Amino acid sequence: MTLAPLPRLIVEPLVRNALVEDLGLAGDVTSTAVIPADHRSRVAMVTRQPGVVAGLDASELAFQLVDPAIAMTRHVPDGAKVGVGDVIATIEGPSRGLLTAERTALNFLGHLSGIASVTGSIVEAIAGTKASIVCTRKTTPGLRALEKYAVRAGGGMNHRFALYDAVLIKDNHVAIAGGIAEAIRRAKAGVGHMVKIEVEVDTLVQLREAMQEGVDAVLLDNMTPDQLREAVDIVGGRAITEASGRITPAMAAAIAASGVDLISVGWLTHSAPTLDIGLDWKAAA
């Protein structure tokens, strides 16, 4: 699957806001005081640990928005696996601008590469099965587009992007509607024919009820591998099956072996550790 970049129209406002947060009203007082205005440098983005790269567009934009005279040369693309000491990119230009944009550029790159890296680890854990790893809406407010992109860079897929692009009937919807069947009927009556409907179930009894009403997908929440296998048999290919609930790389293979189509993992975006990437000064340019 080709990794399509996010449009600049989406990425630039996020990077710009991060820079405004860092620069405030006075700008980078340290670099302005310490570094001569005409000084130029060449630096390298270097990995401190192995992982998968994501976020190069956001990182490059951070430098360019601070100073358009800064040029970044990429040595690997987003989605590439890297080892310790690999050079991801070299950046050259006015030293003040390089230092001013450094932290914002590395924050984006490290955070998104961290998401791509943990996604890659769980994708590897289920290799050879038909299941795909998908993310959730458990994202950092304002950064969802970038974080879901990072999941794709790591080899995963995206679940619904937000509340507007699919129906996902969960336990509280069911409770308020008065039952699974009634919630599904209301959803079908309330959305257009292009909107997919998924329903979350905790038991096989609920699953059978949902399948009687007809849905596009079922979210099988916190089920054991044995329960998931039975659920897949009940569905019989009539809907997409999705396993969810505190799934770790250690248990992912057993869950994938049950025959489910998707495994959704919230911690890919809400708890992924940052990939350690540094900016090493090489020489005056």
Side-chain angles (χ1 to χ4, degrees), residues 184-268:
I184 294 172
R185 292 184 197 122
R186 292 183 187 182
K188 287 183 175 181
V191 299
H193 70 286
M194 296 295 289
V195 179
K196 298 286 188 179
I197 297 176
E198 181 173 19
V199 62
E200 177 188 71
V201 298
D202 301 318
T203 68
L204 298 178
V205 172
Q206 290 180 325
L207 174 62
R208 290 187 176 94
E209 185 178 2
M211 294 309 299
Q212 286 178 349
E213 295 299 322
V215 291
D216 298 295
V218 287
L219 192 160
L220 309 166
D221 193 40
N222 286 304
M223 291 188 180
T224 66
D226 287 341
Q227 289 173 319
L228 289 171
R229 275 189 288 273
E230 188 171 352
V232 169
D233 288 340
I234 291 170
V235 173
R238 292 176 291 158
I240 293 170
T241 53
E242 174 189 347
S244 181
R246 302 180 182 87
I247 295 168
T248 66
M251 62 195 294
I255 290 172
S258 70
V260 295
D261 299 301
L262 306 175
I263 300 174
S264 58
V265 187
W267 59 263
L268 296 179

Side-chain angles (χ1 to χ4, degrees), residues 123 126-133 252 255-257 259-263:
V123 167
I126 66 166
T129 71
K130 73 169 187 175
S132 297
I133 299 299
I255 290 172
V260 295
D261 299 301
L262 306 175
I263 300 174

Side-chain angles (χ1 to χ4, degrees), residues 62-88:
F63 289 110
Q64 290 180 343
L65 289 173
V66 167
D67 192 333
I70 296 174
M72 179 167 144
T73 301
R74 305 181 190 191
H75 301 297
V76 298
D78 279 348
K81 293 182 179 180
V82 291
V84 177
D86 285 354
V87 177
I88 296 174

Side-chain angles (χ1 to χ4, degrees), residues 43-48 56 59-60 63 72 86-91 102 105-106 109 277-280:
V43 297
M45 285 180 166
V46 182
T47 55
R48 309 284 195 246
L56 285 167
S59 184
E60 184 172 4
F63 289 110
M72 179 167 144
D86 285 354
V87 177
I88 296 174
T90 52
I91 308 103
E102 173 183 4
L106 290 178
L109 188 62
I277 300 170
L279 196 69
D280 293 346

Side-chain angles (χ1 to χ4, degrees), residues 2-236:
T2 302
L3 181 63
L6 288 174
R8 179 168 175 147
L9 185 67
I10 292 175
V11 180
E12 183 171 331
L14 304 179
V15 178
R16 190 179 296 276
N17 286 341
L19 288 168
V20 169
E21 178 181 56
D22 213 19
L23 290 168
L25 298 177
D28 182 359
V29 296
T30 306
S31 295
T32 301
V34 174
I35 308 299
D38 61 350
H39 192 275
R40 295 176 60 87
S41 293
R42 185 171 69 252
V43 297
M45 285 180 166
V46 182
T47 55
R48 309 284 195 246
Q49 62 185 125
V52 178
V53 175
L56 285 167
D57 282 351
S59 184
E60 184 172 4
L61 264 175
F63 289 110
Q64 290 180 343
L65 289 173
V66 167
D67 192 333
I70 296 174
M72 179 167 144
T73 301
R74 305 181 190 191
H75 301 297
V76 298
D78 279 348
K81 293 182 179 180
V82 291
V84 177
D86 285 354
V87 177
I88 296 174
T90 52
I91 308 103
E92 187 172 332
S95 300
R96 281 185 181 177
L98 289 173
L99 295 174
T100 296
E102 173 183 4
R103 179 43 48 201
T104 297
L106 290 178
N107 282 349
F108 277 112
L109 188 62
H111 175 56
L112 299 176
S113 295
I115 291 172
S117 298
V118 295
T119 301
S121 70
I122 199 165
V123 167
E124 287 181 3
I126 66 166
T129 71
K130 73 169 187 175
S132 297
I133 299 299
V134 298
C135 53
T136 71
R137 285 170 47 242
K138 296 176 182 177
T139 54
T140 306
L143 296 183
R144 182 171 295 170
L146 288 174
E147 291 178 344
K148 282 184 171 283
Y149 167 82
V151 168
R152 298 196 300 275
M157 296 172 59
N158 293 157
H159 205 284
R160 62 173 177 166
F161 190 84
L163 294 173
Y164 57 75
D165 58 344
V167 171
L168 177 48
I169 301 169
K170 305 197 78 174
D171 53 356
N172 285 333
H173 298 108
V174 170
I176 293 171
I180 283 179
E182 180 61 20
I184 294 172
R185 292 184 197 122
R186 292 183 187 182
K188 287 183 175 181
V191 299
H193 70 286
M194 296 295 289
V195 179
K196 298 286 188 179
I197 297 176
E198 181 173 19
V199 62
E200 177 188 71
V201 298
D202 301 318
T203 68
L204 298 178
V205 172
Q206 290 180 325
L207 174 62
R208 290 187 176 94
E209 185 178 2
M211 294 309 299
Q212 286 178 349
E213 295 299 322
V215 291
D216 298 295
V218 287
L219 192 160
L220 309 166
D221 193 40
N222 286 304
M223 291 188 180
T224 66
D226 287 341
Q227 289 173 319
L228 289 171
R229 275 189 288 273
E230 188 171 352
V232 169
D233 288 340
I234 291 170
V235 173

